[in-house]
Structure formats: C-alpha cells, structure tokens
Amino acid sequence: MPITPQAAAYRPDPRIESIRDRLSDPVAAAAFPKTILRFRNRRWDKAVGLDSLSDEQWTAHFGRFEPLPGNLPQPLALRYHGHQFRHYNPDIGDGRGFLFAQLRDGAAEQPGGRLLDLGTKGSGRTPYSRFGDGRLTLKGGVREILATEMLEALGVETSKTFSLIETGEALQRNDEPSPTRSAVMVRLSHGHIRIGTFQRLATLNEPDTMRDLIGYVLTNLYAETPGDAPAAQLLDLVCRRTAALAASYMAAGFVHGVLNSDNINTTGESFDYGPWRFNPTWNPDFTAAYFDQQGLYAFGRQAQAIHWDVVQLALSLRHVAAAEELAPALDAWPAHYERAVAAAICGRLGIAPRGEEADLALLQAMDVALQRSQVGIDRFFFDWRGGGRRAPSPADPHYEAEDFADFRTAIAAYRGTASLDHGYWRDAAPCSMLIDEVEAIWSAIAEADDWGPLYAKVDAIRRMGEALGS
Ligand code: AMP
Ligand code: MG
C-alpha cells in the first residue's frame, strides 16, 4: 500500500553530500523571464513541512531555486547512463533537471520518516544537456501533474508533482505546436538513484564508488543495515519493489511509455512521465510513445521491460559481487510479479485474495473477458468493486455475455472487502484519465488560459483516491 502524506516539520537532510563529488556536478538554475505559480501540491507540502511557505517564498525556492535552509547550497546535476530502447547510452545524465534538496517526510512506516528528494525538470542546461535546451514545456508539466495525481489515487507508488511554475519562454518542440509555453517543475520523490546510476559506475569501472552507493541506497532509502552481501541485499529489495511497480501499472491500466533503465528508480518508485497514457481498454499492444514503433514498452510488455532493466542492474552489480550471490534475487522476480499483480488487481477490485491458484484463474478470466469485450478498464473496475456486491452496472450488457462467463464464476467465490459508502461509488461514471480529457484540459489552458478544468480534475482524482482508500 503506498504511503499517504503524514504531517511533519521541515527536516532538511542532504545525505547526498557524502557521495556527491563522484555522482554529480554542481550547476545553476536558468534565470527565467517570468515565474508564475501554477500548481503547488497542497497534499504533500505538509508531509515535508513546507506548507507554511507563502506563495512568494514558494516561487523563490521552486522557480528561482534559492536554497532551502540547511539544505544543498547548490543544485546537483546527477550523473547516469542507461539503456534507451535497449541501446546503451553513456551520454545522458540530468540534462534538464537537478537535485535541489533532500528532506524527510512524516511517514510513520519508516522511523524518522523517509528520505525524499526535491528534483527538477526544466530548470536549465547542465553538462548533460547535449543538443537539448534544458527546458520543459508547460504542457509537459501539466501532463506530469495529471499522471502523478491519477497514479497516486490508484495506489501506484509514484513521485509526486510538487510544484509547477510557468517561466515565460517560447520553446520549439516537434511533438507540440510551437512555439509553446515553458515551465519548471519540482518533483518530490523517494530518491533519484536509477538503475542507470549503477550502470555508469560499472561502465567506468568504479567498484569502490559502487560499494558506497549500495550503502547509500540501503541505509538512506531502504532504512536497512548493510549486511555481509550488500549487493545481493540491494538487488533483492529492488526486485521486490520493481515487480510491485510493474504489477501496479497493470492494475492502473497505465502505460509509462519510456521504461528505459535511466527511468527506473532503485526504490521502485515510478517517475519521469513523458508520453504516458492510460489504456482505454485491455489491449496488451497499446503503446504510449509514438516513437516506440516496435511496441517495446506496450501495455502488456511492461513487466518484461522492467525485468530486463533489473537484469542490467544485476549485471552492473557483478563488479562488486559474484554471479551466484546475485542470481537468487533475480530468479525470484517473476514470482514476485505474479504475487504482486494478483494483489494489485484484487486491491482495485476490492476483494480479498484467495491464494495463488484461484487468483491466477481469476486474472486469466479477467484478461479474456476484457480483451474480448473491450469494456473500458476504469468502467470495469468501477462496476465490479467489492466483487459485484455493487450490482454490475445495468448499463453494460457485456457483463451478461459469454465473454464474461468464466470471470463471473471466478469472482463469485471472492469476498468483498471494500467499503462502498463513499459517494463516489454512486456516481454515474468512474474517474478516468484518457487522452481526450488530457488534451481538453490542456486546450483550456492553451486557448483561454483557463486553469479551472485542471484544478477541478485534480480534486476529482483525489476524491476517487479517498473512495479507493489510497
Ligand atoms: P527522458 O527521456 O526524459 O528520460 O530523458 C532522457 C535524457 O535526455 C536525459 O538525460 C534528459 O536529461 C535528457 N533530456 C530530455 N529533454 C531534454 C531537454 N529539453 N534538454 C536537455 N536534456 C534533455
Ligand atoms: Mg528520464
């Protein structure tokens, strides 16, 4: 179950200082012509004690990047490599973002709270910008708000969009009508140590730094004491968390779009939303990125893709550990995934799992029913919430048809655990985030500078999150 925000005082804790010389470069933010506050996360600001900032102070920190008290004196562009669509790229790194601050939240799940990062997107050029302008489009920022809010509400462990400030520049992009408006975003995330961070150390043959980085991730991000075999210990944790991540994408009907190894966080937290989409129907071949012509990161291939990335982590860790030490953790990934996907689907259906065999049969029946009928994913989970205690919507004749026969039989044996008291469950239709609505929300901003539909949607999503108990 993802962690919900729990109020806490501001507690700066820039742990990266111990390893920053070998993993990052100090950089400066761009000076923007304007800084217009468009979104501040009123749900998560209190979890890190920043809710008392005035809008002026907020803009000074998250638009002009004046350091937060007791935090990093200068932003750090993080170094990493990664496989992009299976091709190794040693020329990447934080090209339009940096690590701005580190602080602890109020999560009771971890003593002393979790160590979180405030990282940016669109804050200017860095040594890793290559041909890029270091900027983020306003539309890209709005899309990231919508993705993170929806995923959080659906129970996916995700980075949070903490701040979005419009910056008054005109950007040229080939995937948006241009010139297009600019913005700088700040995300709150559980670390920024990616699989690609380890791949870089393997490629540059820096085993000592890799050992230190393993210690950093175990101690600071997993709150674990490194034991005799820290590499295997870390790999085991990463396997569990990334399997849960892949499973949660399926239950959410979400397609990330760019599951490159530099976009996979070693905490298993989902982040970095570019060409993402929610899948309207259960179509395994549905892709999000127009440039993913092979369908490498299609809806139904996401588990495989994330597993492949984790294999790259294991190969990197070979620089500090023997293959036999690492193999058991890696071999367990498919089993972790199977358990996690059953748990995630049962969670969204609001039913109690019944054990491996029964759950697998239920999932298979669901897969057949949804693929054949092409009932909307959100509609399906809405109607069957609690296992059908809530009478399946009279609206959809598909549920009575042959396609759903096995699913109806399978789910009848399940016990509903979800409360249906929340008013959301009496709405005519579920809350969704399909592409037409994303575009409509953006159009209101682009054409009339009307931010109302965006804020209304965030409220509606958070209400759904309440109803789902996430
Ligand atoms: P992404 O596909 O967003 O994960 O980005 C892959 C790499 O390209 C990372 O190193 C980014 O920092 C870099 N990048 C993406 N967009 C830009 C940009 N507009 N300017 C500079 N670097 C960028
Ligand atoms: Mg990225």
Side-chain angles (χ1 to χ4, degrees), residues 71-251:
N71 230 303
L72 293 176
Q74 204 178 350
L76 301 172
L78 299 175
R79 301 173 186 165
Y80 53 84
H81 293 174
H83 276 91
Q84 300 185 302
F85 292 87
R86 306 262 154 115
H87 298 285
Y88 194 72
N89 189 344
D91 296 321
I92 51 178
D94 273 345
R96 57 166 166 173
F98 50 61
L99 176 61
F100 175 59
Q102 293 186 297
L103 68 193
R104 293 202 169 262
D105 74 356
E109 289 82 351
Q110 194 163 305
R114 290 178 305 164
L115 181 69
L116 300 180
D117 289 354
L118 288 172
T120 64
K121 196 168 184 175
S123 49
R125 290 181 54 84
T126 75
Y128 306 100
S129 300
R130 295 172 291 164
F131 43 83
D133 58 5
R135 303 305 201 264
L136 170 69
T137 67
L138 184 62
K139 184 180 184 184
V142 166
R143 281 176 48 88
E144 185 134 348
I145 294 171
L146 292 172
T148 50
E149 289 287 335
M150 191 70 182
L151 289 174
E152 182 184 358
L154 290 173
V156 174
E157 200 67 77
T158 176
S159 67
K160 315 298 180 298
T161 304
F162 197 65
S163 170
L164 186 70
I165 290 177
E166 184 167 358
T167 47
E169 296 179 319
L171 306 180
Q172 293 297 326
R173 290 290 184 275
N174 52 23
D175 56 355
E176 281 183 41
S178 297
T180 188
R181 289 153 76 176
S182 67
V184 64
M185 189 195 93
V186 176
R187 74 162 78 95
L188 180 67
S189 77
H190 193 200
H192 277 93
I193 308 298
R194 310 136 193 269
I195 288 178
T197 315
F198 282 91
Q199 289 182 281
R200 175 179 167 274
L201 296 175
T203 299
L204 300 182
N205 195 19
E206 295 185 18
D208 292 337
T209 303
M210 192 182 293
R211 283 187 202 94
D212 291 344
L213 186 62
I214 292 169
Y216 173 89
V217 177
L218 283 173
T219 311
N220 296 310
L221 299 173
Y222 280 102
E224 295 276 333
T225 310
D228 300 336
Q233 188 183 353
L234 176 65
L235 185 63
D236 179 54
L237 292 164
V238 175
C239 283
R240 290 170 194 275
R241 293 275 188 99
T242 51
L245 169 71
S248 68
Y249 281 167
M250 298 312 283

Side-chain angles (χ1 to χ4, degrees), residues 336-357:
H336 292 318
Y337 175 72
E338 262 184 33
R339 266 193 301 277
V341 84
I345 298 284
C346 288
R348 192 164 177 198
L349 283 168
I351 55 176
R354 291 180 58 233
E356 218 168 292
E357 207 177 315

Side-chain angles (χ1 to χ4, degrees), residues 351-352 354 358 362 387 407-416:
I351 55 176
R354 291 180 58 233
L362 178 76
F407 177 75
R408 281 197 312 270
T409 311
I411 201 165
Y414 280 77
R415 184 172 55 84

Side-chain angles (χ1 to χ4, degrees), residues 126-468:
T126 75
Y128 306 100
S129 300
R130 295 172 291 164
F131 43 83
D133 58 5
R135 303 305 201 264
L136 170 69
T137 67
L138 184 62
K139 184 180 184 184
V142 166
R143 281 176 48 88
E144 185 134 348
I145 294 171
L146 292 172
T148 50
E149 289 287 335
M150 191 70 182
L151 289 174
E152 182 184 358
L154 290 173
V156 174
E157 200 67 77
T158 176
S159 67
K160 315 298 180 298
T161 304
F162 197 65
S163 170
L164 186 70
I165 290 177
E166 184 167 358
T167 47
E169 296 179 319
L171 306 180
Q172 293 297 326
R173 290 290 184 275
N174 52 23
D175 56 355
E176 281 183 41
S178 297
T180 188
R181 289 153 76 176
S182 67
V184 64
M185 189 195 93
V186 176
R187 74 162 78 95
L188 180 67
S189 77
H190 193 200
H192 277 93
I193 308 298
R194 310 136 193 269
I195 288 178
T197 315
F198 282 91
Q199 289 182 281
R200 175 179 167 274
L201 296 175
T203 299
L204 300 182
N205 195 19
E206 295 185 18
D208 292 337
T209 303
M210 192 182 293
R211 283 187 202 94
D212 291 344
L213 186 62
I214 292 169
Y216 173 89
V217 177
L218 283 173
T219 311
N220 296 310
L221 299 173
Y222 280 102
E224 295 276 333
T225 310
D228 300 336
Q233 188 183 353
L234 176 65
L235 185 63
D236 179 54
L237 292 164
V238 175
C239 283
R240 290 170 194 275
R241 293 275 188 99
T242 51
L245 169 71
S248 68
Y249 281 167
M250 298 312 283
F254 182 71
V255 187
H256 179 284
V258 197
L259 295 173
N260 292 334
S261 62
D262 55 304
N263 284 342
I264 304 294
N265 198 323
T266 52
T267 58
E269 192 185 69
S270 174
F271 81 121
D272 207 359
Y273 302 98
W276 63 270
R277 288 208 190 182
F278 281 88
N279 196 354
T281 60
W282 200 263
N283 171 8
D285 297 326
F286 181 82
T287 51
Y290 67 90
F291 45 84
D292 185 5
Q293 270 120 8
Q294 314 296 318
L296 187 63
Y297 301 142
F299 179 60
R301 290 205 199 101
Q302 297 185 105
Q304 216 181 305
I306 292 174
H307 186 218
W308 191 90
D309 291 326
V310 175
V311 172
Q312 308 315 306
L313 174 65
L315 291 172
S316 300
L317 291 172
R318 285 279 289 102
H319 285 248
V320 296
E324 311 79 74
E325 244 179 273
L326 300 169
L330 203 56
D331 291 346
W333 200 96
H336 292 318
Y337 175 72
E338 262 184 33
R339 266 193 301 277
V341 84
I345 298 284
C346 288
R348 192 164 177 198
L349 283 168
I351 55 176
R354 291 180 58 233
E356 218 168 292
E357 207 177 315
D359 295 346
L360 192 65
L362 178 76
L363 262 57
Q364 272 164 357
M366 182 190 87
D367 195 73
V368 170
L370 287 179
Q371 280 202 57
R372 290 207 185 134
S373 68
Q374 294 290 294
V375 171
I377 293 175
D378 298 313
R379 183 84 241 178
F380 165 79
F381 282 108
F382 188 69
D383 289 343
W384 289 89
R385 178 77 174 170
R389 278 194 300 154
R390 174 196 138 84
S393 138
D396 210 322
H398 283 109
Y399 299 143
E400 304 310 322
E402 184 61 24
D403 295 342
F404 265 87
D406 288 347
F407 177 75
R408 281 197 312 270
T409 311
I411 201 165
Y414 280 77
R415 184 172 55 84
T417 50
S419 154
L420 299 176
D421 293 343
H422 195 286
Y424 173 74
W425 300 111
R426 290 183 292 283
D427 287 359
C431 179
S432 287
M433 184 53 69
L434 304 182
I435 189 65
D436 288 352
E437 192 176 1
V438 175
E439 292 295 338
I441 289 168
W442 170 247
S443 290
I445 295 167
E447 285 158 24
D449 209 29
D450 179 4
W451 291 77
L454 173 69
Y455 302 141
K457 188 67 191 183
V458 170
D459 289 345
I461 295 169
R462 290 181 180 183
R463 175 170 166 271
M464 174 187 69
E466 255 173 47
L468 285 165

